[in-house]
Amino acid sequence: LLIKVGKIGNRVKIGPYIKITPVWVYISELIRGDGSLNKCDNNYYNLVFVNKDLGLINYARNFFLKLGINRNSVSVYDSSKYPHIKNLVVRSEIFPYIFHSIFKIPFGRKLKMNFPNFIFENRKFAINAIRGIFDAEGSVHIKYNNNFCRRVNICSFDKDYLENIKLLLLRFNIHSYIFEEKRENKKYFYRLIIGGRDCILRFKTIIKPKQEDRKKKLELLVRSYEGRW
């Protein structure tokens, strides 16, 4: 069934019921971590996803195209300030509404990340939520100041959000801890850290990130333990 929302909306292949799949959850966490929902003047809505991995940008772009949105409503362009960063912009009213109402992503500047409780109820949802936020806001460290410092990180300004991710990780026997840091602009943020050979291996095996650089670094991190099993 095709539905249309708003005078400027395009018909898309969803409704009257929406089946939330793991891919929806993954996309939602990409946007929550590295994107935004925007409501502008004159009933103009869009959603934005920002990442340096063009493959990940195209993955998200194809997700919306498969749902039937007009290709002219989806754009990918380089950041004016950082040319290596790609911006995906989806001009639509219905998609921001879905990600706001179902996935609890706020419009505009995110003062809180929020998190929908239904993700805790499904194993595949949990995996895709962790994968999404790691692909958006994660990093992998193997060495620091020429010393081994093996860890996987996820950063956020919202400690409560990371506490939810920590609970999801525990479902897969992946232990983590959260600590507070202060940036140069004097704003505090929080870092979730996964350390230890077994937890890092479980993270790689179960979560299976898509972001190319982090996926490669995670493989190198696991290999750094070779001979230590």
Side-chain angles (χ1 to χ4, degrees), residues 36-54:
S36 63
L37 307 179
N38 306 293
K39 181 179 180 181
C40 309
D41 295 334
N42 300 319
N43 292 321
Y44 177 81
Y45 293 78
N46 69 25
L47 66 83
V48 178
F49 170 54
V50 181
N51 203 279
K52 66 179 182 180
D53 187 335
L54 183 58

Side-chain angles (χ1 to χ4, degrees), residues 1 5 11 30 54 60-61 67 77 93 102 110 126 133 138 158 169 186 192-193 200 202:
L1 177 68
V5 176
R11 289 179 174 84
L30 290 180
L54 183 58
R61 175 178 179 270
L67 290 171
Y77 60 90
E93 183 175 348
I102 296 177
K110 296 189 286 284
I133 194 58
D158 188 341
L169 287 165
K186 298 183 180 180
L192 179 148
I193 293 178
I200 289 173
R202 277 194 288 274

Side-chain angles (χ1 to χ4, degrees), residues 54-208:
L54 183 58
L56 206 59
I57 290 287
N58 285 331
Y59 181 90
R61 175 178 179 270
N62 289 333
F63 168 80
F64 292 105
L65 291 176
K66 287 177 182 178
L67 290 171
I69 193 169
N70 191 304
R71 287 181 176 271
N72 293 331
S73 297
V74 183
S75 302
V76 177
Y77 60 90
D78 295 340
S79 168
S80 58
K81 190 174 182 179
Y82 305 103
H84 67 291
I85 300 294
K86 308 296 181 184
N87 295 268
L88 170 69
V89 179
V90 179
R91 291 174 291 279
S92 166
E93 183 175 348
I94 188 170
F95 289 117
Y97 174 79
I98 290 171
F99 284 110
H100 174 69
S101 60
I102 296 177
F103 294 95
K104 310 303 179 186
I105 301 174
F107 278 99
R109 183 181 178 186
K110 296 189 286 284
L111 299 177
K112 293 289 289 184
M113 294 282 275
N114 301 332
F115 198 71
N117 290 329
F118 70 82
I119 289 178
F120 288 97
E121 301 171 5
N122 182 294
R123 185 179 189 275
K124 290 183 178 180
F125 286 179
I127 290 172
N128 277 271
I130 298 167
R131 181 185 297 146
I133 194 58
F134 177 75
D135 283 347
E137 296 286 4
S139 60
V140 177
H141 292 266
I142 301 175
K143 285 188 176 183
Y144 180 74
N145 290 337
N146 294 320
N147 295 315
F148 278 105
C149 181
R150 301 179 178 94
R151 67 188 193 186
V152 172
N153 306 282
I154 299 173
C155 293
S156 177
F157 64 88
D158 188 341
K159 185 179 180 181
D160 291 338
Y161 176 75
L162 289 182
E163 292 286 359
N164 283 316
I165 300 301
K166 182 178 179 179
L167 288 175
L168 291 180
L169 287 165
L170 279 174
R171 181 171 183 172
F172 307 104
N173 199 24
I174 300 173
H175 298 272
S176 62
Y177 61 95
I178 299 169
F179 72 91
E180 184 180 80
E181 292 186 10
K182 195 172 185 179
R183 289 182 169 169
E184 293 179 358
N185 58 11
K186 298 183 180 180
K187 291 184 179 180
Y188 287 95
F189 75 105
Y190 300 90
R191 187 184 301 273
L192 179 148
I193 293 178
I194 302 166
R197 178 189 62 190
D198 294 340
C199 287
I200 289 173
L201 180 59
R202 277 194 288 274
F203 184 88
K204 174 183 176 293
T205 303
I206 296 170
I207 305 305
K208 299 177 181 177

Side-chain angles (χ1 to χ4, degrees), residues 17-29:
Y17 301 103
I18 297 173
K19 182 179 180 181
I20 299 302
T21 64
V23 178
W24 274 96
V25 175
Y26 175 70
I27 296 294
S28 76
E29 295 312 301

